[in-house]
Amino acid sequence: GAGVSQSPSNKVTEKGKDVELRCDPISGHTALYWYRQSLGQGLEFLIYFQGNSAPDKSGLPSDRFSAERTGGSVSTLTIQRTQQEDSAVYLCASSWGTGDYEQYFGPGTRLTVT
Amino acid sequence: GDSVTQMEGPVTLSEEAFLTINCTYTATGYPSLFWYVQYPGEGLQLLLKATKADDKGSNKGFEATYRKETTSFHLEKGSVQVSDSAVYFCALRRSGGSYIPTFGRGTSLIVHP
């Protein structure tokens, strides 16, 4: 079956522009997670959804970052007025729920802000 | 707060060598411990896990033992292959709440023929 997919795989943007990153979770997975992987750093948790609700937004680095999920499926992470420090790989994961379930990761979107 | 510390890489080995990647953690209570692997161009995949002290997780020839007394979860493999070249992440997850894992920084493994 299809795994978690993310698009685009690579995105190069100019400083100050807005970007949208998309995540398609595994069908039936109700929980969806966004992480950021910067060079030499571990995975930094950004936000998670249970259904269409985001109970925990504490990981978003600034108010330039937002995310939404519609229909309990596709999620979009939006970064407004991008900065060079936003350059990273953005990973999405999904799971059957927010309990003790395995998270399945997508291949990521590599964002480069010039 | 919770934290995971991994040995810095890259770790460079010849094929069939013995592998150890150290991982120690700080957490209250009794977290579950995980190793994930990230092959080039791919997302993270769960490699193995252990949910309580003295448990041994194993998969694909890799193994790690949950050591509560030393707060460690070192990854080992007796004979590495070129195809094991990847980045390995140690992680912990506490029960309850949102079950968000805490990840280490990752250790790159390069295996030469």
Side-chain angles (χ1 to χ4, degrees):
Chain A
V4 178
S5 60
Q6 294 185 244
S7 61
S9 55
N10 280 285
K11 176 71 176 179
V12 180
T13 190
E14 292 180 352
K15 177 181 172 182
K17 295 285 179 69
D18 297 353
V19 295
E20 284 189 353
L21 312 180
R22 176 187 169 108
C23 173
D24 279 277
I26 292 172
S27 178
H29 280 193
T30 62
L32 186 148
Y33 305 80
W34 283 99
Y35 297 89
R36 180 167 70 174
Q37 183 180 17
S38 303
L39 189 64
Q41 303 294 315
L43 271 70
E44 175 189 5
F45 166 73
L46 298 179
I47 189 170
Y48 86 96
F49 291 88
Q50 175 55 46
N52 292 333
S53 300
D56 184 359
K57 300 180 181 181
S58 62
L60 293 175
S62 75
D63 59 7
R64 298 186 294 104
F65 288 72
S66 63
E68 65 176 13
R69 189 180 185 195
T70 54
S73 182
V74 172
S75 176
T76 302
L77 177 69
T78 301
I79 309 173
Q80 296 179 310
R81 304 180 303 281
T82 52
Q83 304 294 313
Q84 288 187 329
E85 61 263 28
D86 299 334
S87 296
V89 176
Y90 290 82
L91 292 169
C92 174
S94 70
S95 64
W96 287 109
T98 53
D100 192 16
Y101 297 100
E102 180 179 346
Q103 293 186 14
Y104 294 82
F105 284 80
T109 293
R110 181 175 296 278
L111 175 66
T112 303
V113 182
T114 62
Chain B
D2 297 344
S3 67
V4 175
T5 302
Q6 292 180 234
M7 60 188 292
E8 289 194 21
V11 173
T12 304
L13 295 173
S14 298
E15 205 164 28
E16 299 183 3
F18 184 87
L19 168 71
T20 300
I21 300 178
N22 291 338
C23 170
T24 57
Y25 68 91
T26 301
T28 56
Y30 298 90
S32 294
L33 302 175
F34 305 83
W35 277 101
Y36 286 83
V37 58
Q38 185 179 31
Y39 297 104
E42 299 183 13
L44 276 72
Q45 302 173 26
L46 178 63
L47 180 60
L48 54 84
K49 69 177 184 181
T51 58
K52 61 182 187 295
D54 299 325
D55 266 4
K56 178 184 285 188
S58 61
N59 186 24
K60 299 181 180 180
F62 291 88
E63 59 182 34
T65 302
Y66 190 140
R67 300 290 188 197
K68 182 70 175 172
E69 63 277 13
T70 54
T71 62
S72 65
F73 193 55
H74 304 323
L75 182 69
E76 297 182 335
K77 186 175 185 183
S79 176
V80 293
Q81 305 300 311
V82 172
S83 57
D84 293 327
S85 298
V87 181
Y88 292 81
F89 291 88
C90 185
L92 69 82
R93 188 174 70 186
R94 282 200 271 154
S95 297
S98 60
Y99 287 84
I100 305 296
T102 299
F103 289 88
R105 293 190 173 192
T107 301
S108 175
L109 171 65
I110 301 170
V111 181
H112 294 293

